Amino acid sequence: MNHTPENWGRPRDDIYGFYDKSFLQNTGGAQQHTTRPVVTGTSVVALKYNGGVVMAADNLASYGSLARFTDIKRIKQVGDHTIVGAGGDISDMQYLFDKLLESVLIKEEYQNDGHALRAPHIYSYLARVLYNRRCKFNFLWNSILVAGYDDEKKPFLASADLLGTRFSSPALASGYGAQLAIPILRKIAPDEASVTKITKEQAIEAIKLCMKVLFYRDARSMNKYSLAVISEEGVDLTHGVALENESWKFAETVRGYGAQTV
Amino acid sequence: MAYLHTANIISDFPPSHHHHTSAGPFVQHQITPYTNNGGTILGITGEDFVVLAGDTRHSEGYSINSRTEKKVHRLGKESSLVLATVGFGADALDVVETMKRAVEDYKFHHNKEMSPPAAAQLLMTILYSNRFFPKYAYCILVGIHAGKGVLYSYDVVGSYSKSGERRAAAGAASDLIVPFLDNQVELKNQYVPYAWEEEIPVQPLPMEKVRRLVKDAFTSATERHIQVGDGLQIITVAASGVGWGVSEEMYELKKD
Amino acid sequence: MFRNSYDNDSVTFSPQGRIFQVEYALEAIKQGSAAVGLVSNTHAVLVALKRNAEELGSYQKKVIKIDSHLGLALAGLAPDARVLSNFMRQQSMSSRLIYARPIPVARVVNAIADKAQVNTQTYGRRPYGVGLLIAGVDETGPHLWEFQPSGMVLEYKGAAIGARSQSARTYLERNFELFPGLSRDELVVHGLRALRDSLAQDKSLTSANTSVAVVGIGEEFKLYDGDEVTMWLEKVGDVGSSRGRTEIEQPEASGSGPTAAAAPDTMDTTD
């Protein structure tokens, strides 16, 4: 006799014959968790500079190989000087951004006591949420970057993913960005000391270059993205920034994939 | 994205207890709740001190996530306890957080610092309480007890030696470092020159010698292991007469 | 003992709009020995008088550390204070664990205020029988809060609770305008002088019966007990009760105290 929860209250096969369970949502176990991401966003890239952080993420949400939505905002401003960028499952990202973060911010606002959550606090919270969910085998399928200022008012940039893994670095990128953008960014920001020599303009330029390289090579990317610049004045977050000086000239020189004759 | 096509990096550990097999011809995508973030930790005791060190590279697969993530953590501002963890970064940090909290709680309730033997047993309890969904964190715990440097090392489900150990290494390059420690700390296979099979007696090492061994171990491991490098964090806990001191030294490792 | 038909529980108002059980709880605070708190622009200080029930016993703990930036002094039922402080520690640790942030002082104070208020509105419960002075530092600077079993909390520049605390309060009222600019040590001395004023006749502040705690911007909560208090008492100079004295004491005469402090022109000599 099958005693698993989905059989509770169902007619017994040995008496009433085979019960057609095909209408049931899941037949594998009691509760189904997310086992794969569905609609996804690709890389998020970010770089610290002297006095702040620059971050970018494109506006595409893919459904497998289908470019499903082209106006998705994957960077959220959280408070005066903090931003969060997310890749991975878009619905999980929107749950994080619109449900969890929003309610945390509202609760904080209601206290009205002069305190505000800043980047390290938001990061700590999100990393804990992601880790708690992975411990329940119920992943929030994202990889996130949090940028802002730390308690000493120095630029802050850190990463957390669906497993709850956390780390920090002067230049960070998730997804394909870890392969394609990081080498570009580490060239100008190999360590924390080098950050003080990078200007805001240089940082923006480097991030824009990364977005271009990613668009050239990442098949799940697009040429329109959100760009966020954190400076002491606050967050300058622009959605729908178009890729500049795009050129596919290099493509003709690429060898090794198709049936080239030479 | 790398994690969308999750490679089973840690296929041998832990044995997956979460088997889903789909009926169709497609192999269902399977996520593992673990990853391996590389790195190595190493601890050596002396007579009245103990040194605990770890590299600062944080990696996943062939990617270096960060060159500056520390693995060695003090468990309290006024405590001699220092804990190093390596394995799956998120679990490792969680174990450290849990221990820090327990040490703080202990001080509130008992008005004194938790002793290393107590902390050692507590850490075993914490790790073993996750026996059936282990925290993938290899731990080395050190401190000063009764004026002596003590060291305990653990596997991921909490087994440890109550009497402590002279030295321990864990993580990616532990296979490379352990034989080196056997030879240099336990003086295995070391004989008195020109004497017939007379072993060199094992003696507690002086602090400078220990620090030099630690640096040598890590520079060598950095040469041979891709997950080890970038920086070395060395924490020394010394029972200097009346009191004791905890000091940290950062040492550069190759970044290739 | 005074009784009426409206004080059997904490959920019934008297026709005059009073809740007697809550008022009795406030009386319990006055049974406890005195505690004084005061703040400057940089520091918050707690001082308290410890009592020992009998010669053979130890002194009651009056100051409890909650976190590295936060602590409290109590007057009233110590077990109730212990329960409240354990709760505050939990709140404090959660804040650090989840947000990596030391809990803002007002938040943890409001958390116990809400707990206390529930007890004044739930049948079968009794209000906490303890008053607290909570001193802490957060991003908005040093703070001193008073907690009452009614669920009321208020922020103060200087406050005193417990037995004969009115005398300490009088001292604070006469001197509080000096507090903002005072140094750490001067602030403690003023706290101890206020506490001294709440002493019973022929009693004095000793290292055995006095607790001192200091927390400041960039400075962790530090509790001084036992021998550590001696250095503070030396700074105060005269540590004896001024009650029943005919002469008005001049605190400056001790020489080691803060020079800016104005001496109270009269002392409360009633008990």
Side-chain angles (χ1 to χ4, degrees), chain B:
Chain B
M1 245 165 293
Y3 58 76
L4 297 183
H5 327 277
T6 313
N8 203 358
I9 298 162
I10 43 161
S11 53
D12 55 332
F13 182 85
S16 173
H17 61 277
H18 191 74
H19 285 292
H20 278 307
T21 38
S22 63
F26 302 102
V27 177
Q28 199 186 340
H29 172 83
Q30 178 68 59
I31 183 154
T32 123
Y34 296 108
T35 190
N36 184 353
N37 297 115
T40 287
I41 52 173
L42 158 62
I44 302 174
T45 59
E47 182 58 23
D48 57 353
F49 70 92
V50 56
V51 173
L52 189 53
D55 68 327
T56 60
R57 177 171 292 182
H58 191 285
S59 61
E60 187 165 4
Y62 290 124
S63 293
I64 295 172
N65 289 329
S66 170
R67 300 188 194 278
T68 53
E69 287 298 312
K70 290 182 176 178
K71 294 180 183 68
V72 193
H73 307 267
R74 291 194 63 184
L75 293 182
K77 280 176 190 139
E78 280 143 58
S79 169
S80 72
L81 293 167
V82 184
L83 175 62
T85 52
V86 70
F88 167 38
D91 276 351
L93 281 182
D94 188 63
V95 170
V96 171
E97 283 290 331
T98 311
M99 280 298 286
K100 274 187 184 169
R101 200 175 157 150
V103 166
E104 196 185 341
D105 239 5
Y106 184 98
K107 205 178 171 189
F108 275 141
H109 285 116
H110 305 286
N111 230 341
K112 62 174 183 181
E113 292 294 341
M114 189 187 280
S115 72
Q121 188 159 3
L122 177 72
L123 181 53
M124 173 233 121
T125 314
I126 289 167
L127 291 169
Y128 192 78
S129 67
N130 291 287
R131 175 62 182 80
F132 299 109
F133 184 14
K135 298 284 175 203
Y136 183 25
Y138 291 92
C139 300
I140 299 176
L141 176 71
V142 304
I144 297 292
H145 186 54
K148 298 235 184 304
V150 290
L151 179 151
Y152 306 89
S153 76
Y154 300 78
D155 73 359
V156 296
V157 287
S159 41
Y160 80 113
S161 162
K162 261 191 167 181
S163 49
E165 289 160 88
R166 211 192 312 270
R167 83 290 186 281
S174 60
D175 292 3
L176 275 59
I177 290 175
V178 165
F180 173 71
L181 297 179
D182 284 343
N183 185 249
Q184 291 295 308
V185 180
E186 307 282 357
L187 303 185
K188 291 273 157 43
N189 302 102
Q190 296 226 44
Y191 296 93
V192 179
Y194 310 112
W196 181 247
E197 288 194 359
E198 187 189 337
E199 289 180 348
I200 297 179
V202 181
Q203 278 173 335
L205 299 168
M207 195 184 286
E208 269 320 301
K209 168 88 174 167
V210 168
R211 288 217 189 98
R212 217 164 56 235
L213 282 180
V214 167
K215 286 173 189 171
D216 283 351
F218 274 93
T219 34
S220 300
T222 301
E223 291 294 331
R224 286 287 186 173
H225 200 114
I226 58 165
Q227 292 177 323
V228 179
D230 294 333
L232 177 60
Q233 179 198 12
I234 309 168
I235 288 191
T236 307
V237 194
S240 46
V242 215
W244 43 265
V246 183
S247 57
E248 184 189 64
E249 183 192 351
M250 296 304 294
Y251 181 77
E252 293 280 305
L253 291 176
K254 282 166 87 172
K255 283 157 189 65
D256 55 6

Side-chain angles (χ1 to χ4, degrees), chain B residues 77-78 97-98 100-102 104-105 107-109 111, chain C residues 61 65-68 86 89-90 93-94 96-97 220:
Chain B
K77 280 176 190 139
E78 280 143 58
E97 283 290 331
T98 311
K100 274 187 184 169
R101 200 175 157 150
E104 196 185 341
D105 239 5
K107 205 178 171 189
F108 275 141
H109 285 116
N111 230 341
Chain C
K61 205 171 159 72
K65 181 178 171 179
I66 300 297
D67 200 339
S68 57
N86 283 342
R89 280 173 184 168
Q90 279 177 21
M93 276 196 187
S94 300
R96 283 187 188 271
L97 208 68
E220 294 199 353

Side-chain angles (χ1 to χ4, degrees), chain C residues 108-125:
Chain C
V108 71
V109 171
N110 282 317
I112 54 167
D114 290 351
K115 265 174 89 72
Q117 195 279 336
V118 170
N119 289 350
T120 70
Q121 224 183 357
T122 312
Y123 191 82
R125 286 180 180 264

Side-chain angles (χ1 to χ4, degrees), chain A residues 128-142:
Chain A
R128 273 244 103 81
V129 168
L130 290 166
Y131 182 67
N132 282 337
R133 289 290 292 266
R134 93 98 219 191
C135 288
K136 290 180 194 151
F137 253 102
N138 188 195
F139 305 89
L140 284 169
W141 222 285
N142 301 107

Side-chain angles (χ1 to χ4, degrees), chain C residues 30 44 89 97 105 114 136 156 176 178 199 222 232:
Chain C
K30 295 177 192 161
R89 280 173 184 168
L97 208 68
V105 181
D114 290 351
Y156 284 90
F176 79 95
L178 301 168
L199 284 168
K222 163 83 177 138
W232 291 115

